[in-house]
Amino acid sequence: MGKLDPRRLVFIDETWIKTNMAPLRGWSPRGKRLKAYAPHGHWNTMTFIAALRYDGLTAPCVFDGPINGLSFRAYIEQVLIPTLKLGDIVVMDNEERMQAGKP
């Protein structure tokens, strides 16, 4: 096996946020009112997925809701694949299944 070229590595990962996770308290200068904003009426999950290369982030995508097999396949086909070059190595984790205690 030859040396692995780091320019060919493409790491995919996702993260999520629930829009009802807005903080209830915050900090402001003494005697000043804290002004902050929170989403109203949109209590959902938003998912962000992207690919990381040695020189930066590529193929970013946001889903309005949790990601599932159908949306992941759409991300791969419509967003990630157009950014790949011949010889690229795509690496993904399987964190969600590990957290759920599944093999």
Side-chain angles (χ1 to χ4, degrees):
M1 186 160 134
K3 289 186 104 176
L4 192 60
D5 184 0
R7 293 175 295 182
R8 293 293 184 198
L9 294 175
V10 181
F11 295 92
I12 298 177
D13 205 358
E14 56 88 23
T15 189
W16 56 269
I17 184 170
K18 288 193 169 287
T19 56
N20 65 349
M21 295 174 63
L24 301 176
R25 294 168 182 78
W27 294 93
S28 67
R30 186 179 298 262
K32 300 284 184 180
R33 176 174 284 244
L34 173 64
K35 290 186 179 182
Y37 301 95
H40 177 70
H42 181 77
W43 308 116
N44 290 327
T45 300
M46 295 181 72
T47 305
F48 175 74
I49 186 169
L52 182 64
R53 292 180 172 270
Y54 80 102
D55 60 348
L57 196 68
T58 186
C61 188
V62 176
F63 291 95
D64 189 15
I67 196 164
N68 58 27
L70 190 61
S71 54
F72 182 71
R73 183 175 180 151
Y75 167 75
I76 295 297
E77 292 174 350
Q78 299 171 29
V79 182
L80 180 66
I81 287 178
T83 70
L84 297 177
K85 300 176 198 90
L86 186 62
D88 281 349
I89 302 167
V90 179
V91 181
M92 299 183 292
D93 68 6
N94 201 7
E95 184 178 329
E96 287 73 28
R97 286 187 63 155
M98 290 171 39
Q99 287 179 352
K102 299 175 185 171

